[in-house]
Amino acid sequence: MAGPCAVESRQQILAAARGVAAAGASMLRGGAFKPRTSPRSFQGLGREGLELLREASRETGLPVVTEVLDPRDVELVAEHAAMLQVGSRSMQNFPLLREVGRSGHPVLLKRGAAATIDEFLLAADYILAEGNDRVILCERGVRGFDPSTRNLLDLAAVPILQSRTDAPVVVDPSHGTGRADLVPVMARAAVAAGADGILVEVHPDPESALSDREQALRLTEFGDLVEDLERWLPLAGRRIARTLNTATSTPEAGAST
Ligand code: PEP
Ligand code: MN
């Protein structure tokens, strides 16, 4: 899964979508509703961003995963995306977990920055309790003590989670390190740890990114990463999915299946 932190413009998301599709991504990511630490930072394009994601999905055939922040927006986001992302800051937003559970839509649940494995699994249980078992867990790093990296990427969480649940476990080395230079090697490490997928931030022009610019890969760097992973994946008995079964009630969201 690859794409920019945030949808910023039509030109930006289409360039990102075309680039990651050509490089071999299976899904497009991009935030329309951004959970920013400061209320004065760019908050995302909202509904317009969702429409741009849908356009990018139609053009490239890549299904979209995008964050939903507010329980009141679940229906709207589900109409535009194949998968709902519940972000790290929302991992224990219980009304939101229940609402994405009720939607029946696939959910990418990210680990809270200070959440234990037990708390992470119990958060997933809120979604399952609503009858929705289409949950993917995402390790994205926990709060560490060392400012050398943005977070401390907990790769031991991958086999632990896999031993305790049937849900696929993916790794986000972008938020996990906060550094573009570390993303490729930690993606490789995630593969070695047995991850079922990788989520990476990619921007056509990282210097101009409105959020998370330090951790965004260029399109060429993402291409190199996919090539590199294709060499390592067979050692882990894995390959990159080229067609995904994300069929949902919204035809355009699942159009690539
Ligand atoms: C994101 O995926 O852009 C994001 C905000 O991630 P997290 O919730 O892991 O911080
Ligand atoms: Mn981000």
Side-chain angles (χ1 to χ4, degrees), residues 10-22:
R10 184 165 184 272
Q11 191 206 0
Q12 174 249 16
I13 191 63
L14 287 177
R18 289 177 190 134
V20 301

Side-chain angles (χ1 to χ4, degrees), residues 1-7 12-13 16-17 20 25-32 34-35 53 62-67 85 108 110 138 172 174-175 198-202 211-212 215:
M1 308 172 198
C5 182
V7 181
Q12 174 249 16
I13 191 63
V20 301
S26 316
M27 281 192 90
L28 174 66
R29 64 146 285 143
K34 293 306 301 176
L53 283 167
L62 293 182
V64 162
V65 54
T66 193
E67 178 156 359
Q85 176 171 325
L108 179 79
K110 299 189 83 172
C138 179
D172 169 359
S174 303
H175 294 86
I198 310 283
L199 180 142
V200 184
E201 287 191 345
V202 182
S211 57
D212 288 352
Q215 67 195 38

Side-chain angles (χ1 to χ4, degrees), residues 66-192:
T66 193
E67 178 156 359
V68 57
L69 270 175
D70 188 318
R72 293 168 296 187
D73 292 330
V74 168
E75 207 180 315
L76 174 72
V77 178
E79 278 166 19
H80 289 80
M83 196 183 291
L84 305 172
Q85 176 171 325
V86 173
S88 194
R89 291 158 192 80
S90 301
M91 191 205 82
Q92 285 187 318
N93 180 338
F94 302 116
L96 179 64
L97 296 172
R98 287 197 192 282
E99 202 57 39
V100 297
R102 281 187 211 115
S103 77
H105 230 57
V107 178
L108 179 79
L109 177 64
K110 299 189 83 172
R111 181 180 183 180
T116 64
I117 301 272
D118 282 347
E119 288 164 341
F120 191 16
L121 288 169
L122 288 168
D125 256 353
Y126 269 85
I127 302 169
L128 298 169
E130 299 298 326
N132 184 357
D133 64 359
R134 302 204 283 174
V135 178
I136 294 179
L137 301 172
C138 179
E139 164 59 42
R140 48 76 74 201
V142 290
R143 189 62 69 95
F145 60 86
D146 187 342
S148 303
T149 55
R150 181 178 181 181
N151 287 297
L152 201 54
L153 187 60
D154 178 10
L155 289 179
V158 175
I160 295 172
L161 290 167
Q162 286 170 332
S163 73
R164 294 187 51 187
T165 166
D166 291 333
V169 179
V170 308
V171 171
D172 169 359
S174 303
H175 294 86
T177 64
R179 292 174 43 168
D181 63 326
L182 298 180
V183 167
V185 67
M186 295 315 286
R188 200 193 272 174
V191 167

